[in-house]
């Protein structure tokens, strides 16, 4: 790109911003170090002649007005460039203006707007020259691909799918089709979250799992005492250590456990399965963010449990952990159960004096919001009083079967 083109494109962007603000005064650039450093850096006569010639072409196209210093030297030294016709300048440079680019994006995304209202917010942000997830209207094709993928997964919630195999199926014929879903993860998150901004780092495994996508097949891991009721009348005795069964095979459970405890992380699940009196708790490993298929299996377990049996969840004390809890709480509530937090409040965590991690304010706000969506208003209050971020693996496994339901 030539030095003159860089300056003219800078002038074009300034003119676009002025148009968006509704400024009446034409946009201009003084040829100073701050605004046109490329011009002042020219060292040879040939370089200067080339710059002047390219500016003169834009002037002849009726796009800009040029102020020259007629009182010094040859009178060709440039003092200021001013936009006369922004559209003409865009045509001269071969650049589509923002409103045209947003218009193309809106046409591309129109079919998805009824299903994903957040796309309207995306287009409004782009019209106002604001980035969304770091991108402008040029990202519309990626967002359309993400919408197509989410729609396909919502129509197929009965099954979990292998991430790259599903990506290859959805985008067959594309370059790197098997990796396309991974490339679209920020947009998948936007569509499933229904919000423009993120509350922190996107946990991609959670995003995929929320759509029933896994890197590898994920069985339902369950531990405790009792009997699993599977397809075709098959009954399988539970093992305290754990058993893994296909999600769609589980139809119910018979157990003498005193509570149900879902566990977010695998290491903590195994620790809990080996904790004292583990046979008195029925343990489920969520696999991080529980997928739709996992939640259906969870619902079948809930429906099979005695009325009044406490239902708990133990996860990370972070934004992802409380988001998972909110998803589980919604499923539990739909089946007449109240999900309770286990060791997910600063007030219930006894630390050994080690350093505590305080989340950034925006992340803390998100944690509290998800906690409240889970119905855990007292946990949210505790977090505000003592901000804390803690992975559950940092805590030894303890089980809640002997603890009276208090929250």
């Amino acid at each position: 790109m030539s030095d003159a083109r860089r300056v003219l494109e800078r002038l074009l962007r300034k003119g676009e911003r002025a148009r968006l603000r509704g400024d009446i005064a034409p946009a201009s650039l003084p040829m100073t170090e701050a605004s046109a450093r490329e011009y002042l850096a020219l060292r040879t006569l040939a370089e200067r002649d080339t710059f002047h010639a390219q500016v003169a072409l834009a002037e002849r196209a009726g796009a800009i007005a040029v102020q020259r210093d007629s009182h010094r030297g040859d009178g060709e030294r440039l003092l200021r460039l001013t936009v006369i016709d922004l559209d003409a300048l865009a045509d001269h440079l071969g650049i589509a203006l923002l409103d045209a680019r947003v218009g193309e994006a809106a046409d591309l995304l129109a079919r998805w707007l009824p299903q994903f209202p957040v796309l309207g917010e995306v287009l409004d942000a782009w019209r106002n020259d604001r980035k969304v997830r770091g991108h402008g209207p040029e990202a519309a094709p990626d967002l359309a691909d993400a919408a197509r993928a989410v729609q396909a997964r919502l129509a197929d919630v009965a099954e979990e799918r292998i991430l790259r195999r599903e990506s290859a199926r959805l985008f067959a014929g594309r370059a790197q089709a098997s990796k396309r879903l991974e490339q679209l993860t920020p947009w998948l998150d936007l569509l499933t979250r229904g919000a423009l901004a993120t509350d922190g780092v996107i946990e991609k495994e959670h995003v995929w799992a929320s759509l029933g996508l896994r890197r590898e097949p994920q069985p339902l891991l369950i531990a405790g005492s009792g009997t699993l009721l599977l397809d075709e009348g098959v009954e399988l005795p539970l093992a305290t250590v754990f058993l893994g069964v296909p999600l769609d095979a589980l139809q119910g459970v018979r157990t003498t456990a005193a509570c149900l405890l879902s566990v977010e992380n695998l290491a903590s699940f195994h620790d809990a399965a080996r904790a004292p009196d583990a046979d008195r708790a029925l343990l489920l490993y969520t696999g991080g963010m529980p997928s739709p298929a996992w939640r259906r299996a969870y619902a079948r377990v809930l429906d099979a449990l005695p009325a009044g049996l406490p239902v708990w969840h133990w996860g990370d004390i972070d934004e992802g952990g409380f988001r998972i809890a909110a998803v589980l709480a919604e499923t539990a509530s739909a089946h007449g159960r109240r999900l309770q937090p286990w060791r997910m409040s600063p007030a219930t965590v006894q630390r050994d004096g080690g350093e505590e991690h305080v989340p950034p304010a925006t992340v803390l706000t998100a944690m509290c919001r998800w906690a409240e969506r889970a119905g855990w208003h007292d946990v949210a209050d505790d977090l505000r009083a003592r901000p804390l971020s803690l992975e559950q693996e940092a805590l030894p496994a303890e089980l809640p079967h002997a603890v009276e339901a208090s929250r």
Side-chain angles (χ1 to χ4, degrees), residues 112-151:
W112 305 110
L113 271 168
Q115 186 173 358
F116 304 106
V118 70
L119 293 178
E121 298 179 43
V122 172
L123 292 170
D124 285 343
W126 286 343
R127 288 187 186 98
N128 289 286
D129 199 23
R130 297 199 312 271
K131 302 288 188 182
V132 176
R133 305 291 175 98
H135 296 277
E138 72 282 353
D142 289 344
L143 196 44
D145 278 354
R148 176 188 167 202
V150 173
Q151 182 189 59

Side-chain angles (χ1 to χ4, degrees), residues 17-319:
R17 290 193 295 270
R19 176 182 283 184
L20 286 170
R21 293 192 303 269
D23 288 353
I24 298 176
S28 68
L29 280 180
M31 305 303 284
T32 61
E33 177 67 27
S35 298
R37 56 189 175 280
E38 295 88 349
Y39 182 60
L40 298 185
L42 299 175
R43 291 291 177 262
T44 69
L45 180 61
E47 289 174 343
R48 187 174 291 260
D49 285 346
T50 298
F51 194 104
H52 287 169
Q54 292 180 14
V55 168
L57 288 174
E59 184 180 24
R60 289 171 194 161
I64 64 173
V66 181
Q67 180 184 353
R68 297 177 173 88
D69 187 355
S70 59
H71 303 292
R72 295 181 57 186
D74 57 9
E76 288 296 310
R77 182 175 180 274
L78 305 180
L79 298 179
R80 181 177 292 272
L81 307 182
T82 301
V83 175
I84 294 178
D85 186 329
L86 188 64
D87 296 300
L89 180 57
D91 288 342
H92 176 74
L93 295 173
I95 295 175
L97 288 171
L98 180 64
D99 52 359
R101 288 183 285 127
V102 175
E104 291 177 2
D107 290 342
L108 185 60
L109 298 175
R111 62 172 294 197
W112 305 110
L113 271 168
Q115 186 173 358
F116 304 106
V118 70
L119 293 178
E121 298 179 43
V122 172
L123 292 170
D124 285 343
W126 286 343
R127 288 187 186 98
N128 289 286
D129 199 23
R130 297 199 312 271
K131 302 288 188 182
V132 176
R133 305 291 175 98
H135 296 277
E138 72 282 353
D142 289 344
L143 196 44
D145 278 354
R148 176 188 167 202
V150 173
Q151 182 189 59
R153 291 307 305 139
L154 293 178
D156 183 35
V157 293
E159 300 289 342
E160 287 195 342
R161 302 294 179 186
I162 303 305
L163 176 67
R164 291 198 170 179
R165 185 175 298 161
E166 181 68 358
S167 185
R169 184 187 73 81
L170 287 172
F171 302 105
R174 304 271 196 95
Q176 294 189 317
S178 66
K179 299 179 182 178
R180 183 61 173 152
L181 284 173
E182 292 165 74
Q183 296 165 354
L184 296 173
T185 299
W187 301 119
L188 298 174
D189 178 69
L190 180 145
L191 294 173
T192 55
R193 189 188 293 259
L196 299 189
T198 62
D199 298 314
V201 177
I202 295 176
E203 298 187 58
K204 57 187 180 181
E205 301 284 350
H206 287 186
V207 176
W208 302 333
S210 70
L211 293 168
L213 297 167
R214 301 283 190 183
R215 284 194 181 275
E216 56 192 21
Q218 178 68 59
L220 177 70
L221 299 188
I222 185 168
S225 61
T227 302
L228 299 183
L229 310 179
L230 307 181
D231 285 340
E232 300 179 353
V234 173
E235 297 188 1
L236 183 65
L238 261 174
T240 301
V241 177
F242 74 88
L243 285 176
V245 297
L247 290 168
D248 57 354
L250 183 67
Q251 301 303 310
V253 63
R254 290 197 302 267
T255 182
T256 58
C259 70
L260 173 67
L261 175 66
S262 52
V263 183
E264 177 182 342
N265 295 302
L266 186 58
S268 295
F269 170 79
H270 288 306
D271 289 345
R274 292 174 171 81
D277 296 329
D279 59 337
R280 297 196 58 211
L282 189 64
L283 305 174
L284 293 174
Y285 169 53
T286 73
M289 173 62 74
S291 69
W294 191 98
R295 297 198 298 272
R296 282 192 302 280
Y298 180 59
R300 290 192 287 270
V301 172
L302 293 172
D303 290 341
L305 296 177
L309 187 139
V311 178
W312 304 81
H313 176 67
W314 181 27
D316 293 332
I317 302 177
D318 62 14
E319 192 265 341

